[in-house]
Amino acid sequence: MSADLKPAAQPVAAAAKGGRRKLTYPWILLILAVALLAVSGLRALTGTADLTSTGQFGAALSAAVPIGLAGLGGLWSERAGVVNIGLEGMMMLGSFAAGWIGWQHGPWAAAAAGIVGGALGGLVHAVATVTFGVDHIVSGVAINILALGATQYLATLWFGGEGSAAQAAGGNDKQSPPMPDMPTFTVPGLSDWLNSVEAHHWFFVSDLAGILGAAVTNVSWLTLGTVALFVATFYLLWRSSFGLRLRSCGEAPLSAESLGVNVYAYKYAAVLVSGALAGLGGAFLSIGVHFYQDGQTGGRGYIGLATMIFGNWRPGGVAMGAGLFGFMDAMQLRSGGPTVHALLLGLAALLAVLALLRLRAAKRVQAAVAAVVAVALVVWYAVADTVPLELVEASPYIATLLVLALFSQRLRPPKAGGRPYRRGQGA
């Protein structure tokens, strides 16, 4: 670390020193192993084979990618001090741009178009918040509304125009013409072997095979690119001088400015990257179903924002949150009521553990509430065979609320996030 950046890094370092002890990789692996054991036990107890199947986790991986990209985009923006609730609108712009270009030039061009479309939304947000000092929440809401209106109008104009080439190719007011498939990859031999192990339904071993099989069977190249973007984000923001300067803009912009950091430039760069990542997430949705469709994002931008908060503004946390919400989303689409019904027992067990922890911390009211809800879930599981369709469809959003409610007191956002900043105001 260069000497001139040490003062700007002090708020970042102080947060690390004063906060909770960071999880090491062995602890993370142990937590994942315990979670897998718990899910394996739940699968064996309830007989719900799809809970750990290759198909379930493959669908969960696909569902997690757009949510993770939106969350990663929010992380870039908020680490630079700009709150970005316009992620949903930027995803809309990305999915529309992908549908517009994709049917004419293929899925790879669609992905590039989605990045550009989202970045344009990010540019509007940056101009409004950084240059003109508009309230970040107001700007984000405005982008969501404008993106919705713009995409619906342009879809009517470009895809549903009477006698247009797009209409002749299968487009209409709500949908673009179809685009070709995005290539996928499968590891030959390994995929078939893991599928055969999964078919035996052995405790833990078959469950692990099902999860690993999803990572080597019919995986989109965009999914691999998303993994690379998470790794690159970690190294750029936490292992480079560029990342240190950018994060200092979200922690102490006046200190960063006093050390010669161009705070405006870093904020602009961060919000543009934020929009580009959200746009790529929207493009992933269009490419996955081969066309743009009105209402395609379905609130995933907001869930991505929740994953960023749940992940404590860290790439690893965002990835874990996206995986959780992707799993819930895929489960309600693939399996429906029976699998969600099986998860009632898992949720009851988690609440029972939470009740014990709260009781140990002398928080008796919270412990009692958690225990009562845990008992109610067990009774619900015992008296019912499935879960109503309405609750199944709402399960990803219910999971979002539960996770935020449980972890909100243990989070630390960037100190200067959302605060107005003007060059030279500290002089």
Side-chain angles (χ1 to χ4, degrees):
M1 183 188 300
S2 60
D4 62 331
L5 284 175
K6 286 183 179 178
Q10 286 175 357
V12 180
K17 292 179 181 178
R20 294 172 295 144
R21 182 179 298 175
K22 294 199 304 182
L23 289 175
T24 60
Y25 289 113
W27 274 106
I28 293 174
L29 292 175
L30 179 61
I31 291 171
L32 292 176
V34 171
L36 179 56
L37 278 171
V39 174
S40 300
L42 186 63
R43 191 267 304 167
L45 180 63
T46 62
T48 311
D50 201 45
L51 198 60
T52 57
S53 68
T54 295
Q56 167 64 30
F57 275 87
L61 188 61
S62 296
V65 168
I67 295 173
L69 286 170
L72 196 64
L75 183 150
W76 271 84
S77 180
E78 298 210 9
R79 278 295 178 178
V82 180
V83 174
N84 188 3
I85 66 167
L87 293 168
E88 178 76 5
M90 295 170 195
M91 288 189 77
M92 292 180 195
L93 294 173
S95 64
F96 176 84
W100 176 40
I101 296 297
W103 77 272
Q104 303 175 77
H105 303 289
W108 291 109
I115 292 172
V116 173
L120 288 176
L123 178 62
V124 173
H125 190 49
V127 170
T129 57
V130 180
T131 301
F132 292 102
V134 175
D135 182 270
H136 299 191
I137 305 300
V138 172
S139 175
V141 171
I143 287 173
N144 290 336
I145 296 172
L146 290 173
L148 176 61
T151 53
Q152 290 178 339
Y153 171 73
L154 292 176
T156 303
L157 190 66
W158 291 351
F159 301 147
E162 192 66 32
S164 65
Q167 188 185 57
N172 56 54
D173 292 352
K174 303 291 185 181
Q175 179 178 306
S176 70
M179 70 179 78
D181 286 334
M182 167 69 74
T184 61
F185 83 93
T186 298
V187 180
L190 180 60
S191 174
D192 294 334
W193 178 72
L194 288 172
N195 287 335
S196 66
V197 173
E198 179 195 353
H200 289 290
H201 300 297
W202 294 326
F203 178 75
F204 188 81
V205 176
S206 292
D207 301 304
L208 181 60
I211 295 172
L212 294 178
V216 296
T217 306
N218 295 327
V219 180
S220 169
W221 289 102
L222 283 181
T223 301
L224 286 182
T226 300
V227 174
L229 286 171
F230 270 86
V231 175
T233 293
F234 172 75
Y235 279 98
L236 274 174
L237 295 188
W238 274 270
R239 293 293 185 270
S240 72
S241 58
F242 168 82
L244 178 59
R245 294 187 183 99
L246 187 145
R247 288 185 293 124
S248 71
C249 295
E251 297 287 348
L254 297 181
S255 299
E257 180 189 19
S258 68
L259 297 171
V261 175
N262 188 336
V263 177
Y264 279 7
Y266 278 90
K267 286 180 179 287
Y268 259 89
V271 180
L272 283 172
V273 172
S274 176
L277 290 170
L280 181 59
F284 184 90
L285 294 171
S286 296
I287 294 168
V289 298
H290 306 109
F291 50 77
Y292 159 80
Q293 193 172 35
D294 186 31
Q296 195 163 43
T297 56
R300 288 176 177 84
Y302 300 113
I303 298 180
L305 191 66
T307 65
M308 178 201 67
I309 298 171
F310 160 70
N312 206 17
W313 291 265
R314 302 279 298 193
V318 173
M320 291 178 62
L324 171 63
F325 300 129
F327 180 84
M328 296 298 298
D329 196 16
M331 185 175 58
Q332 60 98 5
L333 291 174
R334 276 180 51 87
S335 309
T339 307
V340 176
H341 178 252
L343 282 183
L344 293 177
L345 279 183
L347 181 57
L350 287 176
L351 287 173
V353 173
L354 179 64
L356 291 175
L357 293 175
R358 289 292 183 264
L359 186 61
R360 183 179 178 184
K363 297 180 179 179
R364 294 182 177 82
V365 174
Q366 296 181 15
V369 171
V372 169
V373 175
V375 172
L377 289 175
V378 172
V379 172
W380 185 5
Y381 176 82
V383 301
D385 295 326
T386 186
V387 173
L389 179 62
E390 293 78 9
L391 284 178
V392 172
E393 293 176 345
S395 58
Y397 309 101
I398 295 173
T400 302
L401 293 174
L402 286 175
V403 167
L404 291 179
L406 291 174
F407 290 94
S408 61
Q409 295 180 351
R410 303 172 66 86
L411 303 176
R412 182 201 168 274
K415 288 185 177 180
R419 296 180 183 176
Y421 163 79
R422 298 257 71 77
R423 180 179 289 136
Q425 66 182 12

